[in-house]
């Protein structure tokens, strides 16, 4: 094991607890200084904390961030999101060093499916192709024929001949939703997002009753019953667009609450109500994984250029095929 691998292992087991941040340091100024000095680009997802979103060179949904990673000229990609997103950046742009503030920033959807399990599963359906949601690890991407995100899934699935049998992994909620809008009968893997499954139908119905002019907007990772109640369903970028352009002035937002930071900026005069979750002691719909990234960890990560995303080359090349198909098939999607 070389020094970088050793340090990465230490970070993964002990986190940053042994690493001191000098007292009184201006983290934002230091991050900005390192960004210039190291020719780094900071990519952040809409579910990151507001302070991280404000520092990002590119803020976006999974598709926009994958595209930004593909075309960057930076030497260092600092990915403020979850592991599968940083891994995707490395698969697409392998000559760049990709770092993620906290490698424990996982995803319940990615955890729900492994490449090996998917390989076994598809043996039952020899004439089916596998379409996987980008929220999966490299081994699942390598076993898939096409990757989709919530922004391009409908478009890509509609481009596949109707008679072609499809296995859709790993999100059963997004899969069910796509079956409905694309009029397909895809075979669904049984995974889900713990954040989007935590919403409470009863409490949201109550919020709708209390705010009769508000429109309910939801991410397609949410459960069927909630999606049925929604006025609009879309990826994070589509939800943002909708709130900005729609005539309504009030919205109940059923996705991870980090999105409100950007929504408030683009629609400052609209009332944005975070949809309530089942746990009554908690108002929020936070993704624990996304919020593992903090300003302190971002600073340390840029300082030490660790933890770095490393992928075995054969695996990377297989995963790249399915990602390239996605990029090709969704060229016309904004
Ligand atoms: P999008 O931003 O692509 O809609 O994805 C949502 C999500 O759950 C990311 O983990
Ligand atoms: Fe995964 Fe859900 Fe968190 Fe997105 S919000 S990273 S799908 S656990």
């Amino acid at each position: 094991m070389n020094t970088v691998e050793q340090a990465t292992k230490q970070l993964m087991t002990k986190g940053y607890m042994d690493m001191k941040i000098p007292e009184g340091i201006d983290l934002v100024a230091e991050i900005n200084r390192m960004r210039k000095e190291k020719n780094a680009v900071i990519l952040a997802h809409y579910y990151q904390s507001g302070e991280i979103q404000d520092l990002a060179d590119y803020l976006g949904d999974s598709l926009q961030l994958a595209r930004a990673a593909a075309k960057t000229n930076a030497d260092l990609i600092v990915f403020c999101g979850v592991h599968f997103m940083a891994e995707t950046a490395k698969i697409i742009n392998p000559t760049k060093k990709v770092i993620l503030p906290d490698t424990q920033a996982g995803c319940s959807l990615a955890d729900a499916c492994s490449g090996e399990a998917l390989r076994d599963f598809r043996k039952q359906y020899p004439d089916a192709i596998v379409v996987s949601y980008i929220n999966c690890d490299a081994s699942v991407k390598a076993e898939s024929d096409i990757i989709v995100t919530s922004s391009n899934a409908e478009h890509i699935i509609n481009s596949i001949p109707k008679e072609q049998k499809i296995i859709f992994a790993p999100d059963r909620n997004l899969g069910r939703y796509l079956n409905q809008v694309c009029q397909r009968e895809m075979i669904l893997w049984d995974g889900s997002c713990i954040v989007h499954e935590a919403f409470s139908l009863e409490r949201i119905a109550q919020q709708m009753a209390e705010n009769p002019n508000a429109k309910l907007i939801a991410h397609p990772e949410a459960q069927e019953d909630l999606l049925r109640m929604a006025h609009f369903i879309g990826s994070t970028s589509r939800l943002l667009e909708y709130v900005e352009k729609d005539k309504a002035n009030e919205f109940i937002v059923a996705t991870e609450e980090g999105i409100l930071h950007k929504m408030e900026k683009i629609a400052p005069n609209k009332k944005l109500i975070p949809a309530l979750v089942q746990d009554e002691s908690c108002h929020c719909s936070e993704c624990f994984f996304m919020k593992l990234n903090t300003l302190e960890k971002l600073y340390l990560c840029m300082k030490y250029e660790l933890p770095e995303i490393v992928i075995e080359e054969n695996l990377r090349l297989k995963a790249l095929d399915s990602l390239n198909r996605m990029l090709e098939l969704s060229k016309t999607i904004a």
Side-chain angles (χ1 to χ4, degrees):
M1 204 183 278
N2 64 32
T3 4
V4 172
E5 282 167 352
Q6 263 170 4
T8 304
K9 192 166 175 232
Q10 184 195 328
L11 278 177
M12 285 176 77
T13 48
K14 292 171 118 186
Y16 289 98
M17 63 190 168
D18 289 341
M19 298 191 180
K20 298 264 177 299
I21 295 182
E23 244 169 75
I25 196 169
D26 181 339
L27 288 174
V28 173
E30 277 303 301
I31 290 167
N32 283 330
R33 184 187 59 75
M34 288 190 281
R35 169 176 12 214
K36 262 201 184 152
E37 195 180 280
K38 295 175 185 249
N39 187 26
V41 65
I42 301 176
L43 308 183
H45 188 265
Y46 293 121
Y47 295 166
Q48 291 293 284
S49 66
E51 53 187 10
I52 290 184
Q53 290 189 37
D54 291 344
L55 269 170
D57 296 289
Y58 293 98
L59 178 64
D61 69 8
S62 311
L63 178 62
Q64 293 165 334
L65 294 175
R67 283 173 171 161
K71 65 166 200 246
T72 185
N73 292 321
D75 296 313
L76 181 65
I77 299 177
V78 186
F79 213 113
C80 297
V82 289
H83 190 273
F84 77 80
M85 295 179 171
E87 194 180 54
T88 299
K90 184 69 185 177
I91 295 168
I92 293 180
N93 206 339
T95 59
K96 310 294 179 188
K97 187 169 190 178
V98 180
I99 53 176
L100 170 71
D102 193 322
T103 46
Q104 303 297 313
C107 168
S108 67
L109 272 171
D111 289 346
C113 186
S114 69
E116 211 182 333
L118 185 58
R119 194 179 326 131
D120 283 346
F121 185 74
R122 73 180 298 178
K123 283 184 192 145
Q124 297 172 54
Y125 307 96
D127 51 347
I129 62 164
V130 177
V131 176
S132 293
Y133 188 30
I134 199 164
N135 297 36
C136 63
D137 71 20
S139 72
V140 171
K141 290 186 174 78
E143 286 301 325
S144 305
D145 298 291
I146 311 174
I147 299 301
V148 297
T149 74
S150 45
S151 281
N152 61 22
E154 187 178 339
H155 173 84
I156 290 181
I157 286 164
N158 280 334
S159 74
I160 302 170
K162 272 269 177 327
E163 58 283 4
Q164 175 61 58
K165 197 178 267 185
I166 301 174
I167 296 170
F168 185 83
D171 187 354
R172 61 166 180 257
N173 292 319
L174 176 62
R176 195 184 295 114
Y177 169 72
L178 290 167
N179 270 345
Q180 193 204 323
V181 293
C182 303
Q183 304 206 329
R184 309 283 304 215
E185 286 181 5
M186 297 190 294
I187 303 145
L188 307 182
W189 191 270
D190 195 17
S192 65
C193 163
I194 45 170
V195 178
H196 289 88
E197 286 211 329
F199 289 115
S200 159
L201 276 193
E202 291 71 27
R203 298 182 82 202
I204 292 174
Q206 179 71 29
Q207 288 181 296
M208 291 173 85
E210 286 164 6
N211 301 277
N213 297 323
K215 283 188 170 173
L216 173 64
I217 60 169
H219 195 280
E221 287 173 16
Q223 284 175 301
E224 190 179 12
D225 292 354
L226 195 156
L227 294 184
R228 224 181 279 135
M229 285 161 57
H231 297 90
F232 181 76
I233 298 163
S235 63
T236 50
S237 53
R238 298 279 182 278
L239 295 177
L240 285 159
E241 240 171 66
Y242 186 75
V243 166
E244 188 179 16
K245 294 187 182 150
D246 191 72
K247 286 199 290 289
N249 284 317
E250 296 173 28
F251 299 88
I252 299 170
V253 184
T255 191
E256 210 273 357
E257 59 151 42
I259 201 173
L260 295 170
H261 183 71
K262 181 72 181 172
M263 247 174 215
E264 279 159 6
K265 285 189 179 183
I266 60 171
N269 300 320
K270 299 199 174 179
K271 183 176 173 189
L272 305 171
I273 308 158
L276 292 174
V277 293
Q278 287 145 25
D279 179 357
E280 294 200 15
S281 66
C282 157
H283 264 249
C284 60
S285 47
E286 271 202 347
C287 175
F288 158 82
F289 300 113
M290 284 278 182
K291 298 303 192 285
L292 282 175
N293 296 327
T294 61
L295 211 54
E296 287 74 15
K297 289 182 196 170
L298 174 56
Y299 161 79
L300 288 167
C301 161
M302 289 182 74
K303 180 169 176 180
Y304 296 105
E305 298 186 22
L306 283 172
E308 184 183 356
I309 304 289
V310 181
I311 311 173
E312 194 270 316
E313 186 60 4
N314 276 335
L315 178 64
R316 187 190 74 78
L317 289 171
K318 280 192 194 160
L320 182 63
D321 279 347
S322 57
L323 275 165
N324 275 342
R325 269 181 218 116
M326 168 186 89
L327 294 172
E328 187 56 35
L329 288 167
S330 60
K331 265 186 182 157
T332 55
I333 304 271

